[in-house]
Amino acid sequence: MRSAGLMLFRHTGEGLEVLLGHMGGPYFAKKDAGAWTVPKGEYGPEEPAWAAARREFQEELGLPPPDGEAIELGEVRQTNGKIVTVWAIEADLDPAAIAPGTFEMEWPPRSGRIQEFPELDRVAWLTPDRARELIVKAQAAFLDRLAEHQG
């Protein structure tokens, strides 16, 4: 499985901040550490990773992906085996403006009830240190690579 995504970043009076999303659905509802991610999603072999990253940004946040210089942050392999490719773009976005896409799943398990949940139930601007505490472990490499690029 492959996923691609865009990690927005901005410079404020407080320094560098990155935009991450908290994964929606019942499994992550009461979790914080390890439950935040770069807005991303899966794609097939026929779709270029860059196109998938932009499409998934739109689907996950309900907003068009920003234009700007894309900084390739490479890929990581998560513990579930998924390979995630990410680009960073300097842009600002109001977290209150998101209109997240949704997914359906049976919940509670074996109940026969299908419920709809947001892909990301909230997004927030975080300092790199705070992001490192919350992000899916393998994705912390993207924070390091962005910091290296910022010099």
Short mmCIF file of all heavy atoms in Angstrom, two decimals, residues 35-71:
data_model
loop_
_atom_site.label_atom_id
_atom_site.label_comp_id
_atom_site.label_asym_id
_atom_site.label_seq_id
_atom_site.Cartn_x
_atom_site.Cartn_y
_atom_site.Cartn_z
N ALA A 35 -1.82 9.67 16.94
CA ALA A 35 -3.09 9.74 16.22
C ALA A 35 -3.16 10.94 15.26
O ALA A 35 -4.20 11.21 14.69
CB ALA A 35 -4.25 9.81 17.21
N TRP A 36 -2.04 11.65 15.10
CA TRP A 36 -1.99 12.81 14.21
C TRP A 36 -1.16 12.44 12.99
O TRP A 36 -0.19 11.69 13.09
CB TRP A 36 -1.40 14.02 14.93
CG TRP A 36 -2.33 14.56 15.97
CD1 TRP A 36 -2.60 14.02 17.20
CD2 TRP A 36 -3.13 15.74 15.88
NE1 TRP A 36 -3.51 14.81 17.87
CE2 TRP A 36 -3.85 15.87 17.08
CE3 TRP A 36 -3.29 16.72 14.90
CZ2 TRP A 36 -4.72 16.91 17.33
CZ3 TRP A 36 -4.16 17.77 15.14
CH2 TRP A 36 -4.87 17.87 16.35
N THR A 37 -1.54 12.98 11.84
CA THR A 37 -0.92 12.60 10.59
C THR A 37 -0.85 13.75 9.61
O THR A 37 -1.59 14.72 9.73
CB THR A 37 -1.71 11.43 9.95
OG1 THR A 37 -1.08 11.01 8.74
CG2 THR A 37 -3.15 11.83 9.64
N VAL A 38 0.04 13.61 8.65
CA VAL A 38 0.04 14.49 7.49
C VAL A 38 -1.24 14.17 6.72
O VAL A 38 -1.58 12.99 6.58
CB VAL A 38 1.28 14.20 6.60
CG1 VAL A 38 1.20 14.94 5.29
CG2 VAL A 38 2.55 14.53 7.35
N PRO A 39 -1.99 15.17 6.20
CA PRO A 39 -3.15 14.85 5.37
C PRO A 39 -2.69 14.07 4.14
O PRO A 39 -1.88 14.54 3.35
CB PRO A 39 -3.71 16.22 4.98
CG PRO A 39 -3.24 17.14 6.08
CD PRO A 39 -1.88 16.60 6.46
N LYS A 40 -3.17 12.84 4.02
CA LYS A 40 -2.67 11.94 2.98
C LYS A 40 -3.71 10.87 2.70
O LYS A 40 -4.71 10.76 3.39
CB LYS A 40 -1.38 11.27 3.44
CG LYS A 40 -1.60 10.43 4.69
CD LYS A 40 -0.44 9.56 5.03
CE LYS A 40 -0.71 8.71 6.25
NZ LYS A 40 -2.00 8.06 6.33
N GLY A 41 -3.43 10.07 1.67
CA GLY A 41 -4.31 8.97 1.37
C GLY A 41 -3.69 8.03 0.36
O GLY A 41 -2.67 8.32 -0.25
N GLU A 42 -4.35 6.90 0.19
CA GLU A 42 -3.84 5.85 -0.68
C GLU A 42 -4.06 6.18 -2.15
O GLU A 42 -4.97 6.92 -2.51
CB GLU A 42 -4.52 4.52 -0.35
CG GLU A 42 -4.14 4.02 1.03
CD GLU A 42 -4.81 2.70 1.37
OE1 GLU A 42 -5.38 2.04 0.48
OE2 GLU A 42 -4.75 2.33 2.56
N TYR A 43 -3.20 5.58 -2.97
CA TYR A 43 -3.32 5.73 -4.41
C TYR A 43 -2.82 4.47 -5.09
O TYR A 43 -2.09 3.67 -4.50
CB TYR A 43 -2.56 6.97 -4.91
CG TYR A 43 -1.06 6.90 -4.75
CD1 TYR A 43 -0.24 6.57 -5.84
CD2 TYR A 43 -0.45 7.18 -3.53
CE1 TYR A 43 1.13 6.50 -5.69
CE2 TYR A 43 0.92 7.12 -3.39
CZ TYR A 43 1.70 6.78 -4.47
OH TYR A 43 3.08 6.72 -4.33
N GLY A 44 -3.26 4.30 -6.35
CA GLY A 44 -2.88 3.11 -7.11
C GLY A 44 -1.71 3.37 -8.03
O GLY A 44 -1.26 4.51 -8.18
N PRO A 45 -1.22 2.31 -8.68
CA PRO A 45 -0.03 2.43 -9.53
C PRO A 45 -0.23 3.33 -10.75
O PRO A 45 0.74 3.84 -11.31
CB PRO A 45 0.26 0.99 -9.94
CG PRO A 45 -1.00 0.24 -9.71
CD PRO A 45 -1.74 0.96 -8.63
N GLU A 46 -1.48 3.55 -11.15
CA GLU A 46 -1.74 4.36 -12.34
C GLU A 46 -1.71 5.86 -12.06
O GLU A 46 -1.69 6.67 -12.97
CB GLU A 46 -3.09 3.98 -12.96
CG GLU A 46 -4.32 4.39 -12.15
CD GLU A 46 -4.54 3.68 -10.81
OE1 GLU A 46 -3.99 2.57 -10.61
OE2 GLU A 46 -5.26 4.23 -9.96
N GLU A 47 -1.69 6.25 -10.79
CA GLU A 47 -1.73 7.67 -10.42
C GLU A 47 -0.37 8.12 -9.90
O GLU A 47 0.20 7.49 -9.01
CB GLU A 47 -2.80 7.89 -9.33
CG GLU A 47 -3.01 9.35 -8.98
CD GLU A 47 -4.10 9.57 -7.93
OE1 GLU A 47 -4.45 8.62 -7.20
OE2 GLU A 47 -4.58 10.69 -7.84
N PRO A 48 0.17 9.22 -10.43
CA PRO A 48 1.44 9.74 -9.88
C PRO A 48 1.26 10.16 -8.42
O PRO A 48 0.21 10.68 -8.04
CB PRO A 48 1.75 10.95 -10.76
CG PRO A 48 0.90 10.79 -11.98
CD PRO A 48 -0.31 10.01 -11.55
N ALA A 49 2.29 9.95 -7.61
CA ALA A 49 2.22 10.28 -6.18
C ALA A 49 1.88 11.75 -5.95
O ALA A 49 1.08 12.08 -5.06
CB ALA A 49 3.54 9.92 -5.49
N TRP A 50 2.46 12.65 -6.75
CA TRP A 50 2.20 14.09 -6.58
C TRP A 50 0.73 14.40 -6.82
O TRP A 50 0.10 15.15 -6.05
CB TRP A 50 3.10 14.90 -7.51
CG TRP A 50 2.77 16.36 -7.58
CD1 TRP A 50 2.33 17.05 -8.67
CD2 TRP A 50 2.84 17.33 -6.51
NE1 TRP A 50 2.12 18.37 -8.35
CE2 TRP A 50 2.43 18.57 -7.03
CE3 TRP A 50 3.20 17.25 -5.17
CZ2 TRP A 50 2.38 19.73 -6.27
CZ3 TRP A 50 3.14 18.42 -4.40
CH2 TRP A 50 2.74 19.63 -4.95
N ALA A 51 0.15 13.82 -7.86
CA ALA A 51 -1.28 14.03 -8.14
C ALA A 51 -2.13 13.48 -7.00
O ALA A 51 -3.11 14.09 -6.58
CB ALA A 51 -1.66 13.39 -9.47
N ALA A 52 -1.74 12.32 -6.48
CA ALA A 52 -2.48 11.71 -5.36
C ALA A 52 -2.40 12.58 -4.12
O ALA A 52 -3.39 12.76 -3.41
CB ALA A 52 -1.94 10.31 -5.07
N ALA A 53 -1.23 13.15 -3.84
CA ALA A 53 -1.07 14.00 -2.67
C ALA A 53 -2.01 15.20 -2.73
O ALA A 53 -2.66 15.54 -1.74
CB ALA A 53 0.39 14.47 -2.56
N ARG A 54 -2.10 15.80 -3.91
CA ARG A 54 -2.98 16.97 -4.08
C ARG A 54 -4.45 16.57 -3.99
O ARG A 54 -5.26 17.23 -3.35
CB ARG A 54 -2.67 17.69 -5.39
CG ARG A 54 -1.27 18.33 -5.35
CD ARG A 54 -0.90 19.06 -6.64
NE ARG A 54 -1.81 20.14 -6.97
CZ ARG A 54 -1.82 21.35 -6.40
NH1 ARG A 54 -0.93 21.65 -5.47
NH2 ARG A 54 -2.68 22.27 -6.76
N ARG A 55 -4.81 15.45 -4.61
CA ARG A 55 -6.20 14.96 -4.56
C ARG A 55 -6.60 14.63 -3.13
O ARG A 55 -7.68 14.99 -2.66
CB ARG A 55 -6.34 13.73 -5.46
CG ARG A 55 -7.73 13.08 -5.39
CD ARG A 55 -7.82 11.82 -6.24
NE ARG A 55 -6.79 10.83 -5.98
CZ ARG A 55 -6.76 10.01 -4.91
NH1 ARG A 55 -7.69 10.09 -3.97
NH2 ARG A 55 -5.78 9.13 -4.78
N GLU A 56 -5.71 13.94 -2.42
CA GLU A 56 -6.02 13.53 -1.05
C GLU A 56 -6.14 14.73 -0.11
O GLU A 56 -6.96 14.73 0.80
CB GLU A 56 -4.98 12.54 -0.54
CG GLU A 56 -5.14 11.15 -1.13
CD GLU A 56 -6.41 10.44 -0.66
OE1 GLU A 56 -6.98 10.80 0.39
OE2 GLU A 56 -6.84 9.51 -1.37
N PHE A 57 -5.33 15.76 -0.33
CA PHE A 57 -5.44 16.98 0.48
C PHE A 57 -6.86 17.53 0.35
O PHE A 57 -7.52 17.85 1.34
CB PHE A 57 -4.41 18.01 0.01
CG PHE A 57 -4.36 19.24 0.87
CD1 PHE A 57 -3.47 19.34 1.92
CD2 PHE A 57 -5.20 20.32 0.61
CE1 PHE A 57 -3.42 20.48 2.72
CE2 PHE A 57 -5.16 21.46 1.41
CZ PHE A 57 -4.27 21.54 2.47
N GLN A 58 -7.33 17.61 -0.91
CA GLN A 58 -8.69 18.11 -1.18
C GLN A 58 -9.74 17.22 -0.50
O GLN A 58 -10.67 17.72 0.13
CB GLN A 58 -8.92 18.15 -2.69
CG GLN A 58 -10.34 18.54 -3.10
CD GLN A 58 -10.53 20.02 -3.29
OE1 GLN A 58 -9.67 20.69 -3.83
NE2 GLN A 58 -11.65 20.53 -2.85
N GLU A 59 -9.58 15.90 -0.64
CA GLU A 59 -10.56 14.98 -0.06
C GLU A 59 -10.55 15.03 1.47
O GLU A 59 -11.60 15.00 2.10
CB GLU A 59 -10.28 13.55 -0.52
CG GLU A 59 -10.63 13.30 -1.97
CD GLU A 59 -10.31 11.89 -2.43
OE1 GLU A 59 -10.05 11.00 -1.58
OE2 GLU A 59 -10.32 11.66 -3.65
N GLU A 60 -9.37 15.07 2.07
CA GLU A 60 -9.27 15.00 3.52
C GLU A 60 -9.69 16.30 4.20
O GLU A 60 -10.25 16.27 5.28
CB GLU A 60 -7.84 14.64 3.94
CG GLU A 60 -7.40 13.29 3.42
CD GLU A 60 -7.19 12.26 4.50
OE1 GLU A 60 -6.75 12.64 5.59
OE2 GLU A 60 -7.48 11.09 4.24
N LEU A 61 -9.36 17.45 3.58
CA LEU A 61 -9.63 18.73 4.23
C LEU A 61 -10.80 19.50 3.61
O LEU A 61 -11.25 20.49 4.17
CB LEU A 61 -8.38 19.61 4.21
CG LEU A 61 -7.15 19.03 4.92
CD1 LEU A 61 -6.01 20.03 4.88
CD2 LEU A 61 -7.46 18.64 6.34
N GLY A 62 -11.23 19.08 2.43
CA GLY A 62 -12.33 19.79 1.77
C GLY A 62 -11.91 21.15 1.24
O GLY A 62 -12.76 22.02 1.00
N LEU A 63 -10.62 21.35 1.07
CA LEU A 63 -10.08 22.62 0.56
C LEU A 63 -9.10 22.31 -0.56
O LEU A 63 -8.43 21.28 -0.53
CB LEU A 63 -9.33 23.37 1.67
CG LEU A 63 -10.15 23.76 2.90
CD1 LEU A 63 -9.22 24.25 4.00
CD2 LEU A 63 -11.16 24.83 2.53
N PRO A 64 -8.99 23.21 -1.55
CA PRO A 64 -8.02 22.96 -2.61
C PRO A 64 -6.59 22.99 -2.07
O PRO A 64 -6.28 23.78 -1.16
CB PRO A 64 -8.26 24.09 -3.61
CG PRO A 64 -8.95 25.16 -2.84
CD PRO A 64 -9.70 24.48 -1.73
N PRO A 65 -5.72 22.15 -2.61
CA PRO A 65 -4.33 22.20 -2.15
C PRO A 65 -3.70 23.52 -2.57
O PRO A 65 -3.98 24.03 -3.65
CB PRO A 65 -3.67 21.02 -2.87
CG PRO A 65 -4.54 20.76 -4.05
CD PRO A 65 -5.93 21.16 -3.66
N PRO A 66 -2.88 24.09 -1.71
CA PRO A 66 -2.27 25.38 -2.05
C PRO A 66 -1.22 25.23 -3.15
O PRO A 66 -0.62 24.17 -3.32
CB PRO A 66 -1.62 25.82 -0.75
CG PRO A 66 -1.37 24.56 0.00
CD PRO A 66 -2.46 23.62 -0.40
N ASP A 67 -1.04 26.32 -3.88
CA ASP A 67 0.04 26.37 -4.85
C ASP A 67 1.28 26.84 -4.11
O ASP A 67 1.20 27.38 -3.02
CB ASP A 67 -0.30 27.34 -5.98
CG ASP A 67 -1.45 26.82 -6.84
OD1 ASP A 67 -1.49 25.59 -7.07
OD2 ASP A 67 -2.29 27.62 -7.25
N GLY A 68 2.40 26.66 -4.71
CA GLY A 68 3.65 27.08 -4.09
C GLY A 68 4.73 26.06 -4.38
O GLY A 68 4.46 24.99 -4.95
N GLU A 69 5.93 26.39 -3.96
CA GLU A 69 7.05 25.48 -4.18
C GLU A 69 6.87 24.24 -3.32
O GLU A 69 6.70 24.33 -2.10
CB GLU A 69 8.37 26.16 -3.81
CG GLU A 69 9.57 25.26 -4.00
CD GLU A 69 10.84 25.79 -3.35
OE1 GLU A 69 10.84 26.94 -2.88
OE2 GLU A 69 11.81 25.03 -3.31
N ALA A 70 6.87 23.08 -3.96
CA ALA A 70 6.74 21.82 -3.23
C ALA A 70 8.13 21.29 -2.90
O ALA A 70 8.97 21.16 -3.77
CB ALA A 70 5.97 20.81 -4.07
N ILE A 71 8.34 21.02 -1.64
CA ILE A 71 9.60 20.47 -1.16
C ILE A 71 9.40 18.97 -0.97
O ILE A 71 8.58 18.55 -0.15
CB ILE A 71 10.01 21.12 0.17
CG1 ILE A 71 10.14 22.64 0.01
CG2 ILE A 71 11.30 20.50 0.69
CD1 ILE A 71 10.15 23.38 1.33
#
